[in-house]
Amino acid sequence: VLSEAIELLRDLVECDTSHPRGNELWAARILRDWLDTHSIEAEIEEFLPGRANLLARVVGEEPGPCLMLNTHTDVVPAGDGWNHEPFSGEVTDGRLYGRGAADAKGSLAAMAATLVLLKRAASLLRGEVVLAAVADEEVGSAGTRRLLEHYRPDAAIVGEPTGLRLLTAHKGSLRPVIEVTGRAAHAATPDRGRNAVEGAADLMLLLRLYAADLEQRKHSLVGHPTVVPVFIMGGEAPNTVPEHCRITLDRRMVPGESEEGVLRELEEISERFEEEHPGMQVRAVDMAPTTGGPSETPVDDAFIVAARKALGKIGQITELGGLTVNCDMTHFRSVGVPAVVYGPGHPEAMHVADEHVALADLRSAIDGYEAIATELLGESSTWLPFA
Ligand SMILES: [Zn+2]
């Protein structure tokens, strides 16, 4: 099934599904036709013009839990600096190159191949395995959000390039826009005003102390939280003491941190600033969009224990890891579904030129997905979700 998975991956990479256009419907149709040649039926839901999710399932002999294999069909734009054609799926030296080869069409091809293997062994399974190829992960996660409105699996494996390591936690982000307000005056008489740009410079020093504090707050799998000023804009006229200055922050959160908690911390910093700067105010005035908050699945969850055991049996990495960026796992966790991220390709290959996946890793990922599914749903399994 490996050679057929490689062919599928080539076809998927050739199909340009880069954002903002997406056009995931094309990729969904390629996948549907491929599954059809393996006698697996798939349904496509086009929930916006050209934007579609695909669902396909293998049902076991006995009733039982539902495991979802979830990954995305959209990719980020190719960008510059490629030595290989970004949408050709060229195979050289045991690697397949192209935008999406690792993030995440490699996972998708491996998951589809796994479904074929599981179908051949379906009489030995209980419950069901559902493949969900979703749209829009790279921008707004519309595909997975939509899916979870009417579908609730008992556990999910989210396919992303993890170097074949199980990742049980990832960071999230928050982007508050902070405004410093002073008092305008003629620039010739600065003593009559309160300069908001100078105030923002002082506030930045407090934010540096905050960043140093955050370094102490280490999460065992994803590292420490961060705060980075990403935009600053202030001033009204070249001859006026500025009344307003705005700073946008990118605040990366680790599992255990909440949006409310972060906003409270920023409020404390504002209060300290205002005490030291009479006549000036600091307020959070807006929130720039992000993909969402952090999440994690407890490492002692029965699903994670079984997944590690399965990979151990086939000689793969059993040490857990975390992801510094966001992914669709957060949406499963927000509705209480245990989830883990696992797939072929290296995290460093994401969103860069000459993205690729090693064919050997594709093979290992198929083995890994199959091993986990069999561990959870096989004849000898004792996994009981929500037990
Ligand atoms: Zn991805």
Side-chain angles (χ1 to χ4, degrees):
V1 76
L2 178 65
S3 60
E4 288 164 280
I6 294 168
E7 250 168 65
L8 170 63
L9 177 53
R10 259 188 122 140
D11 290 345
L12 289 171
V13 168
E14 273 177 24
C15 171
D16 179 354
T17 51
S18 52
H19 255 299
R21 228 171 3 138
N23 274 323
E24 294 93 339
L25 181 60
W26 298 355
R29 285 184 178 148
I30 290 170
L31 181 58
R32 181 189 58 194
D33 293 347
W34 187 89
L35 289 167
D36 192 55
T37 63
H38 293 93
S39 312
I40 295 174
E41 242 180 82
E43 20 165 330
I44 292 178
E45 188 202 6
E46 190 180 0
F47 59 90
L48 284 170
R51 319 298 305 269
N53 289 341
L54 173 144
L55 281 179
R57 55 171 58 76
V58 166
V59 181
E61 283 291 277
E62 303 279 326
C66 169
L67 171 68
M68 178 172 279
L69 307 176
N70 173 292
T71 192
H72 60 95
T73 46
D74 59 318
V75 297
V76 293
D80 300 324
W82 286 75
N83 296 310
H84 304 265
E85 259 306 303
F87 297 105
S88 71
E90 176 193 330
V91 177
T92 321
D93 299 330
R95 293 165 161 189
L96 190 148
Y97 285 86
R99 176 55 81 227
D103 183 14
K105 290 171 174 172
S107 290
L108 182 54
M111 285 176 165
T114 304
L115 213 61
V116 172
L117 296 177
L118 292 172
K119 189 182 164 68
R120 290 179 194 160
S123 61
L124 306 175
L125 295 179
R126 60 189 183 122
E128 59 175 342
V129 179
V130 177
L131 170 66
V134 300
D136 193 47
E137 189 272 345
E138 296 288 1
V139 175
S141 287
T144 290
R145 285 180 210 265
R146 170 88 191 167
L147 181 72
L148 289 172
E149 279 171 21
H150 54 86
Y151 214 89
R152 200 57 54 86
D154 296 302
I157 306 176
V158 176
E160 291 285 350
T162 70
L164 300 169
R165 182 186 292 269
L166 292 166
L167 310 185
T168 55
H170 66 87
K171 286 188 183 179
S173 49
L174 197 66
R175 301 205 178 94
V177 181
I178 311 277
E179 185 168 76
V180 180
T181 306
R183 190 170 64 241
H186 197 289
T189 53
D191 290 348
R192 292 193 186 161
R194 300 290 285 137
N195 190 321
V197 167
E198 287 179 350
D202 290 352
L203 180 63
M204 215 72 100
L205 296 177
L206 293 180
L207 288 169
R208 277 213 192 157
L209 296 177
Y210 178 45
D213 275 354
L214 295 181
E215 281 180 30
Q216 309 306 315
R217 242 182 255 177
K218 219 164 157 26
H219 181 280
S220 60
L221 296 174
V222 299
H224 59 78
T226 52
V227 60
V228 176
V230 289
F231 286 119
I232 185 161
M233 204 171 74
E236 291 86 32
N239 56 356
T240 303
V241 172
E243 184 163 354
H244 301 285
C245 187
R246 278 187 178 202
I247 304 166
T248 303
L249 301 176
D250 179 290
R251 171 68 163 79
R252 297 287 155 154
M253 298 185 283
V254 301
E257 290 192 305
S258 70
E259 200 174 312
E260 303 76 53
V262 168
L263 292 176
R264 221 174 304 123
E265 288 168 6
L266 289 173
E267 208 153 293
E268 280 166 25
I269 293 169
S270 304
E271 280 167 16
R272 185 170 155 199
F273 173 89
E274 288 176 0
E275 274 168 30
E276 293 169 2
H277 298 75
M280 285 206 196
Q281 290 93 43
V282 176
R283 296 278 175 275
V285 290
D286 200 5
M287 219 46 104
T290 73
T291 26
S295 81
E296 70 182 327
T297 303
V299 296
D300 59 355
D301 186 283
F303 169 56
I304 302 298
V305 173
R308 291 178 82 172
K309 188 173 159 201
L311 292 192
K313 280 184 184 169
I314 58 168
Q316 291 196 16
I317 311 166
T318 54
E319 201 188 322
L320 301 175
L323 199 61
T324 52
V325 296
N326 212 325
C327 70
D328 267 346
M329 174 174 158
T330 189
H331 305 293
F332 287 97
R333 293 303 298 137
S334 68
V335 293
V337 175
V340 71
V341 190
Y342 169 89
H346 284 273
E348 305 84 65
M350 289 168 99
H351 304 193
V352 296
D354 291 331
E355 178 177 346
H356 61 270
V357 67
L359 300 180
D361 285 0
L362 202 63
R363 159 90 268 176
S364 300
I366 298 170
D367 293 343
Y369 293 131
E370 191 192 15
I372 296 170
T374 310
E375 184 69 36
L376 293 166
L377 306 176
E379 275 179 321
S380 58
S381 168
T382 51
W383 178 57
L384 287 172
F386 312 124

